[in-house]
Amino acid sequence: MGAAALLMLTGGATLAHGTADGTDSAPAPDGGGHAAHSTGAGDASGSGKASGASGASGASGASGASGTGEAGPVGGASRSGGFWMRADGVFSPPGSFVPSDALTYDTALVPAAARIEVTQYADRTSHRVGTRLRGLVPNRAYGMHVHTSPCAADPTSAGPHYQHRGSATADPVNEVWLDFRTDRNGDGEAKARHDWGFRDGGARSVIVHDAQGGAGKRVACFTVPFSS
């Protein structure tokens, strides 16, 4: 049961099901941070690197089926009911010759070939989303939130922020905020933790904004296969 049970190739993405308890090379994301929202500068030696049940490598050397260097999303479920997911992307402008699930709308703030990793982990008591980015503008603050629709050439296509309670407060308690600040290498990371999870099909992407807080210009987007 602990070994990877199913491998599937769909649209160039490799999906793997294993365990969520740290076995079979499928470590659960770090659960650090305070109750709703925590941020920190990324570590240049570790950002974007993780291992998964499929054997896909991290952002430093993955080679995806699309030819972009992206690793396919990987994830798994445990007998206890927990699950984990990790997705990696390489930013490129809309309409690029090699398509990508990670789109940059402002290459001055999110350069082409910058990288992003998004992780999701849930157990019986908490739901955690984390991100790591590499190759952005050094020493700069960015905003990031989970949004309701996939990315497209039009930045507004990703829809509004995902909200646990619709039409309620727009804050890190009711939404998933992943604001971060890059270090001198242009790397950053953030984590958010809640006691609620996503509705089925309700969360489909993350948007990078040019400013922290509840709003800001949409400068990049990454379509993420979040689980409910």
Side-chain angles (χ1 to χ4, degrees):
M1 295 287 296
L6 176 64
L7 287 175
M8 178 184 311
L9 188 65
T10 307
T14 302
L15 306 177
H17 296 271
T19 64
D21 56 6
T23 60
D24 302 318
S25 301
D30 183 2
H34 45 80
H37 182 214
S38 64
T39 64
D43 181 349
S45 65
S47 295
K49 296 182 180 179
S51 59
S54 69
S57 62
S60 62
S63 178
S66 66
T68 63
E70 296 176 358
V74 294
S78 69
R79 287 173 291 180
S80 64
F83 65 84
W84 65 275
M85 180 280 303
R86 191 194 76 237
D88 302 281
V90 180
F91 288 105
S92 64
S96 295
F97 177 75
V98 179
S100 174
D101 285 334
L103 300 176
T104 174
Y105 307 118
D106 187 336
T107 55
L109 294 180
V110 181
R115 311 189 76 103
I116 183 171
E117 173 192 274
V118 174
T119 56
Q120 180 187 16
Y121 177 75
D123 55 27
R124 294 179 179 178
T125 60
S126 67
H127 178 250
R128 286 163 271 174
V129 177
T131 187
R132 292 180 178 178
L133 300 99
R134 296 199 300 167
L136 305 186
V137 178
N139 301 313
R140 193 187 193 284
Y142 291 83
M144 180 184 284
H145 312 96
V146 173
H147 282 244
T148 60
S149 299
C151 308
D154 181 353
T156 65
S157 296
H161 296 178
Y162 178 90
Q163 292 193 326
H164 176 54
R165 292 183 295 113
S167 302
T169 55
D171 56 39
V173 176
N174 192 48
E175 301 177 346
V176 179
W177 290 24
L178 296 162
D179 293 357
F180 63 94
R181 185 175 185 85
T182 57
D183 63 15
R184 63 183 182 180
N185 298 311
D187 303 339
E189 64 180 54
K191 298 169 187 169
R193 181 173 181 171
H194 299 84
D195 60 4
W196 48 262
F198 296 132
R199 293 179 294 277
D200 187 24
R204 302 291 301 279
S205 63
V206 293
I207 285 277
V208 180
H209 297 269
D210 67 344
Q212 295 186 346
K217 177 185 175 183
R218 301 184 182 198
V219 296
C221 183
F222 180 37
T223 299
V224 182
F226 286 115
S227 298
S228 58

